[in-house]
Amino acid sequence: MSSYEKSVKPVSAFLAMIGLVIILATCLQVLKLPTRGTLVLCIVYLSVVTYFLGNTLKEIEGYLLDGFKKAAFTVGVLMAVGCVIGGWIIGGVIPSIIYYGLDLLTPSLYLTTGLILCCLTSYFTGTSYGCIATMGVALIGVAEGLGVPLPIAAGMVVSGALFGDKMSPFSDTTNLAAATAKTTLFSHIYSMLFTGGPAIVISLIIFAVIGMNFGDSQGASPAKTQELMAAIDSVFMISPFLLLIPAATILLIIKKVPPILSIMIGSILGVVAGMIFQDAFTAKEAVLALFKGVSYDYGNADAAKLLNRGGLGSMAWIVTVALIVLAFGEIIQRSGILKALLTAISNSINSSFRLIVATIGACLATNLFSASQYVSIVLPGETFEPAYRRMNIKGNVLSRTLEDSGTLFAFLVPWGNDAIFTAATLGVATLDYAPYAFFSLICPILAVLYAATGKFVWKRENEEAADTPFDVTGQELVTATVRTTE
């Protein structure tokens, strides 16, 4: 246990959690309060509870401030995404992608093509955030033009972004899960093939079937599509050379340039392209697009809906949500409430099936109550790892389970950090796209089926070398992450 984390009796932790659940249910379901207001009330409740559990007021204030500090990365990415949307619209990048997408794709091919593109982008960049902020933004624009329902399109983007991120050796969560479970990086990736592989194939089939049902009556009519393309073409210079800007942005992320810097560089390249190529806008309007977004009369309502958006200011409200969410997650973790409950559960488990199911449930609960993907990997992973050793189960089964639940559930919890980012970037509410994020829904189901049948639940044999050492990068990552998440 971290020196930063308080020791709490399981009974006290259980009672505190019951009170929190009652507040959440009452505020969200009965009173219909907004998420931000509900979480503020939860922070007040937790502050009172943690005070009576032995925390000083100074410590409680420190927890909240640490939560704000942890929100810095998400806030930075959100601000960069607002800028890149404005910059890429004013520079003609997003208009070009939409124009070519409408010209080349049909609604029936859109979902399968988009899923493959997102898988490849996130795999080679090693980041779901980078994929959603670049390829995802562009594909959502194409979906609007084709008449594909946005919740389905967003679910496709999330599925592809998470598959590539989960399977990529460059991903922080992939390294983190392996290190937390004390297994090697590539043993972890091999293990994930047995849930991630079938899950993405099933997702591809489902999206293909959905796409086959899209026709002109459900999508945009040819005449409406032609009018939209004409409106875009009348304002912007459309060119395949403008696609070099998102390609360069993705390349920067692949080269491990920090995501915030990569996205900001991409937004500046968009502004420069706007100054040079887009005669409909002045240099001042191009620069202001970074801050205020784009506002223009295209003479077409669909074009205005697609292209009048973006800018730093558009992310202001979601930044406040991120700050509140991380403060909430920090105080519930540092109070020791979650740790006490998970430890009690871990110590009472006596079968491999119950252990894996309990790990999945713990990751979901940690996501629900900490709103942090990293905490939902590290906290259950560290808590349950001794139980996996006690029951002679290989570390790569634990690491796979942490990813199948901790990583994937993070994008389905509406007040979670990752879901907030996704909803703000794609413009689709979490609960709207969640039913179509098939990859995130199928992986945990497969994990439970394997646990029930014993398939791919490997046992340790004489402490094989592949089970005990783990990737150096992963160890450095988990050490740093534990310090920042505790």
Side-chain angles (χ1 to χ4, degrees):
M1 181 179 297
S2 166
S3 59
Y4 296 105
E5 197 172 83
K6 297 294 181 180
S7 177
V8 178
K9 293 180 180 179
V11 174
S12 299
F14 178 75
L15 293 175
M17 194 62 73
I18 289 295
L20 184 61
V21 170
I22 291 173
I23 292 174
L24 285 169
T26 302
C27 293
L28 294 175
Q29 299 299 320
V30 179
L31 300 178
K32 305 295 183 183
L33 295 180
T35 302
R36 283 179 293 179
T38 299
L39 291 179
V40 168
L41 292 177
C42 289
I43 290 173
V44 173
Y45 165 77
L46 287 172
S47 298
V48 174
V49 169
T50 53
Y51 177 77
F52 285 104
L53 288 175
N55 296 261
T56 67
L57 294 177
K58 188 68 175 177
E59 287 176 326
I60 294 171
E61 180 188 48
Y63 301 159
L64 298 177
L65 292 176
D66 286 345
F68 294 151
K69 291 176 184 176
K70 289 180 184 178
F73 174 76
T74 301
V75 168
V77 172
L78 287 169
M79 293 168 68
V81 167
C83 291
V84 83
I85 292 174
W88 283 9
I89 291 175
I90 207 78
V93 176
I94 289 178
S96 292
I97 292 173
I98 294 173
Y99 186 91
Y100 291 128
L102 295 176
D103 190 38
L104 300 174
L105 291 176
T106 63
S108 62
L109 293 176
Y110 166 81
L111 292 171
T112 52
T113 303
L115 183 65
I116 293 170
L117 289 174
C118 286
C119 287
L120 293 173
T121 302
S122 58
Y123 179 82
F124 287 108
T125 60
T127 166
S128 53
Y129 270 41
C131 175
I132 291 169
T134 53
M135 188 63 68
V137 169
L139 286 171
I140 284 294
V142 175
E144 288 194 79
L146 289 173
V148 175
L150 294 189
I152 299 177
M156 175 271 292
V157 169
V158 170
S159 294
L162 287 177
F163 171 76
D165 180 44
K166 216 163 81 82
M167 302 305 298
S168 174
F170 316 118
S171 167
D172 54 356
T173 55
T174 305
N175 280 275
L176 180 61
T180 302
K182 299 181 181 178
T183 189
T184 63
L185 173 61
F186 288 100
S187 175
H188 168 52
I189 292 175
Y190 169 78
S191 181
M192 286 196 297
L193 287 172
F194 293 91
T195 52
I200 198 64
V201 171
I202 294 171
S203 299
L204 188 66
I205 293 171
I206 294 173
F207 283 123
V209 172
I210 293 174
M212 289 169 59
N213 293 323
F214 287 149
D216 289 341
S217 60
Q218 290 172 289
S221 67
K224 189 175 181 181
T225 300
Q226 291 300 320
E227 289 174 3
L228 175 58
M229 292 174 65
I232 294 174
D233 190 41
S234 67
V235 177
F236 295 95
M237 188 201 82
I238 304 299
S239 170
F241 292 107
L242 292 173
L243 304 185
L244 293 174
I245 294 176
T249 305
I250 292 172
L251 181 61
L252 288 173
I253 298 174
I254 292 174
K255 293 296 184 180
K256 296 304 173 186
V257 176
I260 295 175
L261 290 179
S262 299
I263 295 171
M264 284 304 301
I265 291 171
S267 67
I268 293 170
L269 291 175
V271 169
V272 172
M275 292 178 176
I276 297 174
F277 301 113
Q278 307 303 337
D279 296 334
F281 304 96
T282 65
K284 180 180 178 180
E285 288 173 327
V287 174
L288 286 177
L290 293 176
F291 310 103
K292 295 185 177 182
V294 178
S295 179
Y296 190 83
D297 183 8
Y298 302 93
N300 181 284
D302 291 326
K305 180 182 176 183
L306 277 173
L307 302 173
N308 282 343
R309 57 196 178 102
L312 189 63
S314 66
M315 294 294 179
W317 72 274
I318 204 66
V319 165
T320 63
V321 176
L323 291 169
I324 294 170
V325 162
L326 268 295
F328 166 75
E330 185 72 6
I331 193 169
I332 194 173
Q333 183 205 349
R334 295 277 288 278
S335 66
I337 294 173
L338 274 177
K339 182 73 172 181
L341 290 174
L342 295 184
T343 301
I345 293 170
S346 175
N347 292 338
S348 65
I349 292 173
N350 56 11
S351 75
S352 59
F353 172 73
R354 290 180 180 178
L355 180 59
I356 292 172
V357 171
T359 305
I360 294 171
C363 290
L364 174 58
T366 307
N367 262 312
L368 287 169
F369 293 111
S370 74
S372 170
Q373 176 184 171
Y374 294 113
V375 175
S376 68
I377 292 173
V378 173
L379 187 57
E382 288 190 325
T383 304
F384 284 90
E385 195 273 335
Y388 278 77
R389 286 187 173 276
R390 186 179 75 242
M391 302 191 69
N392 207 35
I393 300 174
K394 283 188 176 182
N396 62 359
V397 177
L398 170 59
S399 64
R400 180 183 72 204
T401 307
L402 294 175
E403 289 258 57
D404 288 339
S405 46
T407 299
L408 300 186
F409 286 148
F411 287 79
L412 303 181
V413 177
W415 54 84
N417 211 33
D418 302 284
I420 288 170
F421 164 80
T422 303
T425 302
L426 301 182
V428 181
T430 304
L431 293 181
D432 289 339
Y433 73 68
Y436 304 102
F438 298 119
F439 182 74
S440 294
L441 301 173
I442 295 170
C443 277
I445 294 173
L446 291 176
V448 171
L449 288 175
Y450 292 160
T453 61
K455 284 285 187 181
F456 311 120
V457 179
W458 301 291
K459 297 290 185 178
R460 298 177 187 270
E461 295 176 5
N462 302 320
E463 286 297 319
E464 296 172 333
D467 294 332
T468 49
F470 47 97
D471 178 70
V472 174
T473 303
Q475 177 156 8
E476 292 172 349
L477 179 61
V478 75
T479 301
T481 305
V482 169
R483 286 177 186 150
T484 57
T485 56
E486 290 184 339

